[in-house]
Amino acid sequence: MSSKPVLHYFNARGRMECIRWLLAAAGVEFEEKFIESPEDLEKLRKDGKLMFEQVPMVEIDGMTLVQTRAILNYIATKYDLSGKDMKERALIDMYAEGVADLSEMMGQLIVTPPDQKEAKISLIKDRAKNRYLPAFEKVLKSHGQDYLVGNRLSRVDIHLLELLLYVEEIDSSLLAPFPLLQALKSRLSSLPNVKKFLQPGSQRKPPTDEKALEEARKAFKF
Amino acid sequence: MAGKPLFHYDEARGRMESVRWLLAAAGVEYEEKFLQTNEDLEKLRSDGVLMFQQVPMVEVDGMRLVQTRAILNYFSSKYNLYGKDMKERALIDMYSEGLADLNELFIVYPYDPPGVKEAKIAQMKEKAKNRYFPAFEKVLKSHGQDFLVGNKLSKADIHLVEMIYNMEELDANIIANFPLLQALKTRISDMPNIKKFLQPGSRRQPPVDEKTVLKARKIFKF
């Protein structure tokens, strides 16, 4: 049994990518076991390793953890990225859940039927521009600090950085009205662990391409 | 600002109900300001008290918290319903998140159009019986203790019992094959605070009916 966390998921961003980001930012090396066929997934299920028959699953510190938020919270607490007390954690949770809502909308795009895609993209852009990005810009403006909570790096800075990069992938002009978010993005991207993760050859996954998705849909029947 | 927490939501179960259950279990009193009209919602928005323009929102300990999980986690930490350490919390999170997946279907289905509603109900019953309830029965069997985690009441127990009551509204026999879940349900229901919460006149909301759906459509414009 490896002492490094082992991530079980498809070779894709999906619901595991935010976990990869957080581990990388915390400077934690991890291994990945990719699910490449329905048989791979069936085996995990038969072995009783997936509490709700689903991935992501992470083997860490003797536990077999499923559910993205459970995994993220554990990693954040272990590596001191969860604020210094209950109230800081409340803010971190609140902000992170906002990031998660917009991320969820973006994640759904790949399984949106072609005739509904444009409307979905429009809605995502509208929400980014008018709801989520302004909310985080306002937080940074309110305290003028380098990080969202407690003047210190926490998990939500990393979650937000990841989100900002996805927003840019959709439309690079969306960040233009938000100077503090742009500054946060630059600052965080320069942190050594993050910088390394952003470079080619890291465990960061590329956008899911149409062809790979089609194959996955056929194989896994979704 | 001292005083009781103040809940902002419409007079319905929705995303606030699990918070009501949690505070009932903790024996904590709170006040509620129910949204009655779209103007009520717009006022909260223009007052700048909803970080992402959404409810639930809870005013507590000088904070205006939005996002259900942020609210639940804060109250759980404050009232010792979140385990004794990081690893117990990971289990509590994993169990809570599984239940949240099922709850997502339960919260939304009353507002779905007729054809979709029936399909959702069938899906929920199937998932509860074949995925979620077996998983929790297995946990209880594995340690033989009275509670899911650490031999002590946690938010996971409350969410599970709430879900059992929810599912029993769709199928009275849904936990017929799960003796340990039945025992947990009885044990939790007999706790004085929960017993009181289960009686008429408590803050517990009734099942969503047509009237509530129509009112919600007007308030939230959907």
Side-chain angles (χ1 to χ4, degrees):
Chain A
M1 188 183 81
S2 169
S3 56
K4 294 182 191 172
V6 181
L7 277 52
H8 295 258
Y9 199 65
F10 313 102
N11 189 359
R13 284 179 176 176
R15 297 187 182 285
M16 188 64 99
E17 193 71 352
C18 53
I19 293 166
R20 297 180 182 114
W21 267 93
L22 192 63
L23 285 170
V28 177
E29 284 180 27
F30 57 93
E31 283 169 20
E32 302 198 77
K33 265 187 110 172
F34 295 123
I35 294 165
E36 276 155 355
S37 67
E39 290 72 41
D40 290 341
L41 186 56
E42 235 359 81
K43 181 166 197 313
L44 284 174
R45 285 172 170 162
K46 280 214 184 79
D47 289 349
K49 299 212 158 149
L50 307 179
M51 182 172 182
F52 305 113
E53 317 302 346
Q54 299 164 316
V55 287
M57 184 271 276
V58 174
E59 297 177 272
I60 183 170
D61 296 340
M63 297 181 291
T64 306
L65 280 186
V66 298
Q67 290 290 342
T68 311
R69 286 171 173 94
I71 297 163
L72 287 171
N73 285 344
Y74 182 76
I75 293 165
T77 303
K78 182 172 180 182
Y79 296 104
D80 203 20
L81 292 166
S82 212
K84 72 180 199 293
D85 58 29
M86 212 160 66
K87 281 193 163 186
E88 283 196 354
R89 237 198 77 196
L91 296 182
I92 289 167
D93 282 349
M94 178 163 66
Y95 302 167
E97 286 297 304
V99 170
D101 281 350
L102 185 58
S103 299
E104 187 68 26
M105 288 176 74
M106 293 167 128
Q108 290 300 317
L109 260 183
I110 59 169
V111 293
T112 302
D115 59 336
Q116 292 170 32
K117 231 176 198 139
E118 215 178 298
K120 265 268 163 70
I121 292 176
S122 235
L123 181 61
I124 288 169
K125 287 196 202 182
D126 177 74
R127 289 275 187 261
K129 205 168 86 155
N130 297 317
R131 178 175 286 186
Y132 294 102
L133 299 185
F136 295 117
E137 182 82 1
K138 184 177 170 187
V139 168
L140 291 171
K141 188 163 189 192
S142 75
H143 54 52
Q145 291 170 359
D146 280 357
Y147 301 98
L148 284 166
V149 178
N151 208 11
R152 196 161 87 102
L153 183 72
S154 77
R155 72 180 185 97
V156 70
D157 298 296
I158 303 303
H159 300 328
L160 180 57
L161 171 63
E162 186 191 353
L163 181 70
L164 294 178
L165 294 173
Y166 297 155
V167 166
E168 278 190 325
E169 277 175 9
I170 289 184
D171 179 349
S172 56
S173 72
L174 284 170
L175 288 197
F178 306 108
L180 297 178
L181 289 180
Q182 290 173 48
L184 179 76
K185 179 170 160 273
S186 293
R187 224 168 21 247
L188 293 175
S189 302
S190 313
L191 295 174
N193 290 328
V194 176
K195 192 172 191 168
K196 204 164 121 201
F197 191 63
L198 286 168
Q199 277 156 7
S202 80
Q203 284 160 300
R204 190 164 73 111
K205 302 295 173 274
T208 304
D209 74 47
E210 295 284 341
K211 191 156 156 274
L213 180 64
E214 250 327 289
E215 285 170 20
R217 296 195 91 156
K218 285 201 196 113
F220 293 95
K221 298 184 180 69
F222 68 95
Chain B
M1 185 183 82
K4 297 179 187 172
L6 177 59
F7 288 16
H8 297 264
Y9 201 62
D10 64 321
E11 195 165 3
R13 284 181 174 177
R15 298 182 182 285
M16 192 64 101
E17 193 70 353
S18 54
V19 187
R20 298 182 182 113
W21 269 87
L22 190 79
L23 286 208
V28 174
E29 282 180 25
Y30 55 96
E31 281 163 22
E32 301 195 78
K33 238 183 135 174
F34 294 122
L35 300 176
Q36 304 289 356
T37 62
N38 179 255
E39 286 70 36
D40 291 341
L41 178 61
E42 287 308 323
K43 178 159 201 314
L44 287 176
R45 285 170 169 167
S46 58
D47 285 348
V49 297
L50 305 178
M51 183 173 181
F52 305 113
Q53 317 311 323
Q54 298 164 317
V55 287
M57 186 270 275
V58 172
E59 296 181 63
V60 59
D61 296 339
M63 298 180 292
R64 288 186 176 111
L65 282 186
V66 298
Q67 291 290 347
T68 313
R69 286 171 173 94
I71 296 165
L72 286 170
N73 290 350
Y74 181 74
F75 281 131
S76 298
S77 292
K78 186 171 182 183
Y79 298 112
N80 277 308
L81 292 166
Y82 220 164
K84 72 178 200 297
D85 58 29
M86 208 159 69
K87 280 194 164 186
E88 284 196 354
R89 239 197 47 214
L91 296 181
I92 290 168
D93 279 344
M94 179 162 65
Y95 302 167
S96 300
E97 285 297 304
L99 289 163
D101 282 350
L102 186 56
N103 200 28
E104 193 61 30
L105 299 172
F106 188 79
I107 288 171
V108 174
Y109 93 86
Y111 305 90
D112 282 328
V116 179
K117 195 185 280 192
E118 278 70 50
K120 283 266 179 77
I121 291 174
Q123 189 191 17
M124 273 190 285
K125 287 199 228 179
E126 193 272 328
K127 287 221 155 97
K129 271 201 287 221
N130 297 324
R131 174 176 287 186
Y132 294 104
F133 288 161
F136 293 114
E137 182 81 3
K138 185 176 169 188
V139 169
L140 291 170
K141 188 165 189 189
S142 75
H143 54 53
Q145 290 170 1
D146 280 358
F147 303 101
L148 285 168
V149 178
N151 211 12
K152 194 165 98 98
L153 182 71
S154 76
K155 76 194 276 294
D157 301 295
I158 306 303
H159 298 328
L160 176 54
V161 171
E162 180 189 356
M163 185 52 65
I164 291 170
Y165 275 101
N166 288 346
M167 289 295 113
E168 283 181 336
E169 284 173 6
L170 302 176
D171 174 356
N173 296 315
I174 202 157
I175 57 168
N177 295 330
F178 304 108
L180 297 177
L181 292 186
Q182 290 169 36
L184 180 76
K185 180 191 166 207
T186 302
R187 211 158 34 241
I188 302 281
S189 303
D190 285 346
M191 289 169 52
N193 291 326
I194 300 289
K195 196 169 198 167
K196 211 166 108 192
F197 185 66
L198 288 166
Q199 276 154 10
S202 79
R203 292 192 180 280
R204 190 178 177 214
Q205 289 293 330
V208 178
D209 60 17
E210 255 325 290
K211 203 162 140 242
T212 310
V213 172
L214 287 171
K215 196 170 175 186
R217 287 192 188 285
K218 288 208 186 108
I219 295 170
F220 298 104
K221 292 212 158 110
F222 70 100

